[in-house]
Amino acid sequence: MTRFLFSLILLVSISVSAQQLKSPSEFLGYELGTQFTRHHEVVDYYEYLADSEPDRVKLTVYGKTNERRPLILAYVSSAENLSNIETIRQEHLKNTEGSGNSSKAIVWLSYNVHGNESVSTEASMKTIYELLTSKSNYLENTVVIMDPCINPDGRDRYSNWYNQYKNTPFQVDPNSKEHHEGWWSGRSNHYMFDLNRDWAWLTQVESQQRLKMFNQWLPHVHVDFHEQGVNSPYYFAPAAEPYHEVITDFQRDFQATIGKNHAKYFDANGWFYFTKEVFDLLYPSYGDTYPMYNGAIGMTYEQGGSGRAGLGIITAIGDTLTLKDRIAHHHTTGLSTIEVSSQNAEELNQEFRKFYQNKDFKYKSYVLKGDKDKLEALKSLLDKHEIEYGTLNSGSFKGHNYRTGRSGSMSINNNGMVVSTNQLKGTMVKVLFEPNAKLSDSLTYDITAWSLPYAYGLDAIALTSTVSGSSTSANDVVQSVTVGAPTNTYAYLFDWNSMKDARFLAALLNEGIRVRKADHPFNLEGKSFDRGTLIITKGDNENKKDFVQSLLSIARKHQKNITPVSTGYVDSGKDFGSSYIQMITKPKIAVLSGGPTSTLRFGEIWHFFEQQLHYPLTVLDDEYADRVDLDEYNILILPDGRYGNHFSEDQLSKLKSWVRSGGKVIAMGGSIDALDGDKGFGITKKKSEKDSSNNAPQPYKDWEREQMKGAITGAIFKTKVDNSNPLAYGYGSEYFSLKLGSSAYEYLDGGNAVYLEQDTNPFSGFAGIKAQERISKTLIYGVENYGRGQVIYMVDNPLFRGFWENGKLFFANALFMVD
């Protein structure tokens, strides 16, 4: 009787609360779906709910965006659960250790990772309102964590643009301006990065701050809400092949369990949907795969609409798709996900615990060695993922050799590290470090290769046995830095091997310190120095006030060891007065934006300069770039994009004249097409040979797979390096390049710094047989001397998504070493 009375009082209390609680429409002052809600208004509504329902809603600000907008999480559950939220979290995490007594389902809903896929944030407000009112029973055994907007900068960019350009009332004609965003759409974040490709690489502040919170919970279920083209019906799980092999049978099956529940609601409403197509579970940096590799049921939900749909649009079949329709669909799948999770809380806990039990992976340990700066860069990434690693000072190890692609051995004498799968994040270690991910289907949605030893330019061995090392973290490493120098110092020398060195050089140039570079190896005072060595002489900087103090301060900040020398007279090689010891020009750099350039590729360059290199960059928009006097700049960067014949004959003539007079062009990806041999420069696109092996027409049903023979879906290739070329200073004789397509260019007459030879089998990832034939004996990176200037060609992208760490020094060389 007492229990009945308690339940009755609780029910009445919730009912009264629900009657008093304002819906999103009541709070905002307009019907949800008739306007796009600005981010600050969304935050206001969540704050209102937290203030009105403090026993059932807890709001946390977990960070800020580049444009200073808050990133928030809402924890939603029953009053009893929320009062014990920390105990629930700790018991849940004990499941990863095989202990604990958790009985609650943990569901994380992430909205609006792509800013112009804006319906999901609107749907989140309706979803949380109903969780607190009509669907509050779901919360008795479930904790729901809601991130209403992962990408506030992109969302407001789209919302503000749409509110500026829309008709009143809105226009459903798809030709209207309100359905056509400009060059920079709302999809990306401030630096034009796709945050749904950044979960594993953590290059962006939004990702870094979010993952700290995610690792505190490791939810059972994670949903990433998206939109796709306006003519597509709704997509929900189960996902398409390929699935990564680490995904468990339960993770596969539970996707179907949730999908069938969604289908029940969609069928009842007559809504169209599809499953098991397009969206696979392989690439590890998505909002569905990353949680999946951490034990969750990770899922992507895709509503038709995206940035084109606005408040309403006529689709290809003549239907009108409204924002209200799109909200209803995302709202339905969100609640359906929580419903199924609540009904299966016990099984979710059991299977989550099983996921973290010891895995029988083929490779148990990954041993790595290489440049200390690159090792520290990798350790920094692993620390963010809370992946454990150890240091190795000696030993010989046998296993899969990454450099050869076959069994071999590697010795470590100093400065090695080991990462084992025998740890909490062991599955994530396998996925990120394995030499070659197993593909069940070549039709994939993204890249098929990403192995971190290749990305960071490290030698590695994958072993079938467990190797232990002494535990450490990147923060534990403090390098000794010379804080003084002999009074008879003639010059100060610094090595050149990594992005850390490039940042150091940028800081010196920004401080006005003059720096030379060695274009020839030399020996001096019992030490050997490679090409690219930075040489800072007192004589060059005699007019620089407090020169030595400034130099030592910058060296200390960048943890750079100083080698002082007392003379410029070398033991072997070229003396410091030789023409092989050239002054590095402090470059003034411009980059083209807009028009033919890709926003993603432009954003990588922008982010590289501002957040990695810390060196000034001028952005020239395509609308007025031809009116700019290029003589004000030393370097012009042309990002990848769709150029075709974008430049007029007059523009090309001016560009060639500027290069001939000493300017430097860095042409990346598709921009090379605008400069090929027909337009007066020395690069030539490789002509495709007609396939005469089978002239019979291919069946239509086989067309897509036939096309894959000519495709490269993000595969890693071993290339040759001429490290006597200034573009390749700091590299060895080989480089593993991430190739994103089959575009191919012939070798240059001279200046081929990195290139493919005849063998083009990928070391990791998928490349079709025709594509492999096409890229045989082709250029990767090269320099063409043109008058007193240069054109630098970058066929592959060394800055791809900001994570291909070993490519970045090529770009720094293009800026500072090539002259």
Side-chain angles (χ1 to χ4, degrees):
M1 187 63 155
T2 303
R3 183 177 296 176
F4 172 76
L5 286 174
F6 175 78
S7 299
L8 183 61
I9 291 169
L10 181 63
L11 183 64
V12 171
S13 174
I14 292 174
S15 176
V16 171
S17 174
Q19 291 173 11
Q20 296 173 343
L21 201 64
K22 290 182 181 179
S23 69
S25 298
E26 292 168 332
F27 179 85
L28 295 168
Y30 53 83
E31 185 181 358
L32 199 66
T34 62
Q35 299 284 342
F36 283 108
T37 309
R38 290 184 173 88
H39 182 255
H40 74 89
E41 297 171 314
V42 176
V43 173
D44 288 346
Y45 183 63
Y46 274 82
E47 289 178 340
Y48 158 74
L49 294 177
D51 290 342
S52 301
E53 292 283 348
D55 293 340
R56 296 193 293 156
V57 180
K58 177 186 175 184
L59 205 63
T60 297
V61 177
Y62 68 87
K64 284 187 177 182
T65 68
N66 289 289
E67 297 174 16
R68 304 191 306 279
R69 294 181 177 88
L71 296 163
I72 66 172
L73 286 179
Y75 299 89
V76 190
S77 196
S78 67
E80 181 181 359
N81 289 340
L82 212 58
S83 67
N84 296 296
I85 191 71
E86 181 57 20
T87 301
I88 290 172
R89 186 184 73 85
Q90 290 181 6
E91 284 298 312
H92 167 64
L93 291 181
K94 286 179 182 178
N95 270 335
T96 65
E97 303 167 355
S99 61
N101 189 30
S102 178
S103 61
K104 305 297 187 289
I106 313 298
V107 178
W108 188 306
L109 305 179
S110 292
Y111 298 91
N112 221 157
V113 66
H114 294 146
N116 61 357
E117 298 175 11
S118 48
V119 64
S120 64
T121 292
E122 310 288 345
S124 80
M125 292 187 284
K126 185 173 182 179
T127 301
I128 191 172
Y129 174 74
E130 292 211 3
L131 280 175
L132 295 170
T133 54
S134 61
K135 302 298 182 182
S136 60
N137 59 305
Y138 294 169
L139 302 177
E140 294 305 309
N141 69 341
T142 305
V143 174
V144 180
I145 304 171
M146 301 179 70
D147 190 332
C149 188
I150 287 178
N151 182 9
D153 292 349
R155 176 182 175 80
D156 268 5
R157 187 183 315 121
Y158 173 74
S159 298
N160 291 334
W161 173 86
Y162 184 81
N163 290 334
Q164 180 181 5
Y165 283 102
K166 77 176 182 71
N167 290 85
T168 302
F170 63 87
Q171 174 57 261
V172 296
D173 183 350
N175 294 316
S176 186
K177 170 67 177 176
E178 66 191 82
H179 301 297
H180 297 271
E181 291 177 89
W183 173 74
W184 188 3
S185 73
R187 179 182 174 90
S188 59
N189 77 338
H190 171 81
Y191 280 108
M192 304 188 191
F193 271 64
D194 184 334
L195 293 179
N196 193 39
R197 270 78 174 172
D198 195 48
W199 277 76
W201 318 134
L202 301 176
T203 66
Q204 302 302 295
V205 294
E206 296 91 342
S207 307
Q208 295 164 12
Q209 295 169 116
R210 182 178 67 253
L211 194 67
K212 290 178 182 177
M213 306 302 294
F214 186 88
N215 278 329
Q216 291 179 18
W217 279 94
L218 298 177
H220 294 122
V221 176
H222 181 269
V223 179
D224 199 18
F225 290 87
H226 286 263
E227 291 186 76
Q228 53 188 329
V230 294
N231 297 313
S232 297
Y234 200 97
Y235 163 82
F236 50 73
E241 291 285 352
Y243 282 58
H244 196 285
E245 62 178 324
V246 300
I247 295 172
T248 67
D249 291 341
F250 173 74
Q251 287 175 311
R252 286 173 173 260
D253 295 342
F254 202 78
Q255 284 190 88
T257 300
I258 290 179
K260 289 175 182 177
N261 203 61
H262 296 345
K264 175 181 69 177
Y265 292 114
F266 274 58
D267 290 344
N269 284 283
W271 297 337
F272 291 96
Y273 56 90
F274 68 98
T275 65
K276 302 182 286 292
E277 295 181 68
V278 183
F279 304 102
D280 60 70
L281 292 172
L282 183 72
Y283 174 66
S285 206
Y286 281 136
D288 51 11
T289 50
Y290 187 89
M292 192 75 93
Y293 302 151
N294 283 277
I297 311 301
M299 294 172 291
T300 291
Y301 297 165
E302 295 269 358
Q303 164 63 45
S306 200
R308 282 210 66 201
L311 294 177
I313 191 170
I314 297 175
T315 68
I317 62 173
D319 291 340
T320 299
L321 176 67
T322 67
L323 181 59
K324 291 182 181 179
D325 297 329
R326 293 148 62 200
I327 291 172
H329 300 160
H330 265 339
H331 165 253
T332 298
T333 55
L335 288 178
S336 173
T337 299
I338 300 167
E339 177 188 27
V340 175
S341 301
S342 175
Q343 293 169 351
N344 293 273
E346 182 178 355
E347 186 178 22
L348 284 170
N349 276 284
Q350 291 172 351
E351 294 295 333
F352 185 76
R353 179 181 295 195
K354 289 180 184 177
F355 181 90
Y356 282 95
Q357 292 174 356
N358 289 336
K359 301 294 183 72
D360 187 24
F361 296 137
K362 177 181 178 181
Y363 297 122
K364 306 292 192 299
S365 301
Y366 300 90
V367 173
L368 306 99
K369 72 174 184 179
D371 179 81
K372 65 182 185 301
D373 295 343
K374 294 174 183 177
L375 284 168
E376 294 311 315
L378 176 58
K379 290 174 183 178
S380 178
L381 176 67
L382 299 183
D383 285 344
K384 292 182 178 72
H385 287 291
E386 299 183 12
I387 290 174
E388 299 171 355
Y389 51 87
T391 59
L392 295 171
N393 294 319
S394 63
S396 181
F397 305 92
K398 186 175 181 179
H400 177 90
N401 189 310
Y402 282 66
R403 186 166 291 280
T404 64
R406 55 182 180 268
S407 180
S409 60
M410 181 176 77
S411 295
I412 288 179
N413 298 317
N414 193 19
N415 208 30
M417 68 179 288
V418 59
V419 187
S420 170
T421 58
N422 185 24
Q423 60 171 297
L424 176 69
K425 295 293 187 78
T427 301
M428 202 72 225
V429 169
K430 171 186 164 52
V431 172
L432 293 178
F433 281 83
E434 63 187 340
N436 197 4
K438 183 179 178 181
L439 273 176
S440 60
D441 195 323
S442 59
L443 290 175
T444 58
Y445 196 66
D446 211 282
I447 64 174
T448 55
W450 51 80
S451 182
L452 291 182
Y454 292 127
Y456 280 75
L458 297 167
D459 291 330
I461 293 282
L463 297 97
T464 56
S465 58
T466 299
V467 175
S468 298
S470 57
S471 67
T472 184
S473 73
N475 295 328
D476 296 332
V477 178
V478 179
Q479 297 183 21
S480 61
V481 177
T482 306
V483 295
T487 56
N488 64 338
T489 297
Y490 177 83
Y492 305 88
L493 311 185
F494 299 86
D495 61 359
W496 180 261
N497 297 298
S498 69
M499 264 302 294
K500 181 177 176 180
D501 302 331
R503 280 188 287 271
F504 172 63
L505 174 58
L508 293 173
L509 296 176
N510 286 333
E511 184 61 22
I513 293 175
R514 303 177 78 194
V515 184
R516 293 176 183 264
K517 62 181 176 73
D519 287 327
H520 197 283
F522 64 93
N523 291 297
L524 179 59
E525 297 182 355
K527 295 181 180 180
S528 298
F529 299 91
D530 292 330
R531 292 180 178 89
T533 295
L534 304 180
I535 301 171
I536 305 170
T537 70
K538 281 187 173 180
D540 284 331
N541 292 280
E542 60 184 357
N543 295 322
K544 171 71 177 173
K545 185 179 180 182
D546 299 327
F547 155 64
V548 174
Q549 289 79 3
S550 295
L551 173 62
L552 295 179
S553 175
I554 295 170
R556 188 178 297 110
K557 178 181 178 181
H558 291 270
Q559 295 188 321
K560 288 292 297 176
N561 288 313
I562 301 173
T563 303
V565 294
S566 60
T567 179
Y569 187 93
V570 301
D571 300 329
S572 65
K574 304 296 181 181
D575 296 327
F576 288 4
S578 166
S579 61
Y580 286 90
I581 309 294
Q582 289 292 316
M583 185 73 71
I584 296 175
T585 301
K586 181 181 179 181
K588 189 172 182 184
I589 305 167
V591 60
L592 186 67
S593 72
T597 69
S598 159
T599 55
L600 293 173
R601 305 292 83 90
F602 169 85
E604 290 161 357
I605 296 167
W606 185 18
H607 185 267
F608 175 84
F609 276 92
E610 291 194 356
Q611 298 299 323
Q612 299 175 61
L613 188 63
H614 308 296
Y615 193 85
L617 176 73
T618 297
V619 178
L620 304 179
D621 194 85
D622 180 65
E623 288 188 358
Y624 62 81
D626 61 343
R627 301 193 298 273
V628 172
D629 182 3
L630 285 181
D631 289 338
E632 295 184 22
Y633 306 95
N634 310 95
I635 298 174
L636 175 64
I637 303 170
L638 301 178
D640 188 10
R642 298 179 179 178
Y643 286 73
N645 294 314
H646 178 77
F647 296 131
S648 67
E649 288 187 15
D650 182 58
Q651 288 172 323
L652 277 172
S653 177
K654 289 180 180 178
L655 183 63
K656 287 187 283 189
S657 176
W658 176 75
V659 175
R660 196 179 295 113
S661 299
K664 186 194 302 180
V665 170
I666 302 176
M668 307 180 73
S671 72
I672 298 173
D673 290 343
L675 307 176
D676 66 22
D678 293 338
K679 302 176 177 68
F681 291 98
I683 194 159
T684 304
K685 199 159 193 173
K686 187 176 181 180
K687 292 182 172 58
S688 299
E689 295 181 11
K690 189 173 181 180
D691 182 12
S692 59
S693 60
N694 185 3
N695 293 320
Q698 294 295 317
Y700 180 78
K701 65 181 178 63
D702 297 333
W703 178 83
E704 191 172 19
R705 293 198 177 277
E706 186 66 22
Q707 292 295 109
M708 292 301 295
K709 292 180 180 179
I712 297 175
T713 52
I716 298 169
F717 294 83
K718 186 177 185 178
T719 67
K720 296 293 290 183
V721 178
D722 173 10
N723 55 20
S724 69
N725 188 313
L727 188 56
Y729 285 175
Y731 287 91
S733 60
E734 298 169 338
Y735 168 71
F736 289 92
S737 188
L738 180 63
K739 186 166 276 294
L740 305 168
S742 58
S743 292
Y745 297 85
E746 302 285 0
Y747 293 156
L748 300 172
D749 289 340
N752 299 288
V754 185
Y755 52 92
L756 280 162
E757 295 185 311
Q758 188 162 358
D759 182 7
T760 54
N761 282 314
F763 265 56
S764 184
F766 174 81
I769 187 65
K770 292 181 180 178
Q772 291 183 42
E773 293 171 357
R774 176 169 171 74
I775 64 174
S776 177
K777 296 183 178 180
T778 58
L779 181 72
I780 301 295
Y781 304 131
V783 181
E784 176 189 352
N785 290 316
Y786 193 87
R788 292 191 289 112
Q790 301 87 26
V791 181
I792 298 171
Y793 301 107
M794 293 190 153
V795 179
D796 291 355
N797 184 1
L799 306 181
F800 181 66
R801 293 180 183 166
F803 92 95
W804 203 256
E805 191 71 19
N806 197 36
K808 295 175 184 176
L809 191 63
F810 284 118
F811 197 78
N813 283 335
L815 301 174
F816 301 123
M817 293 292 162
V818 176
D819 55 18

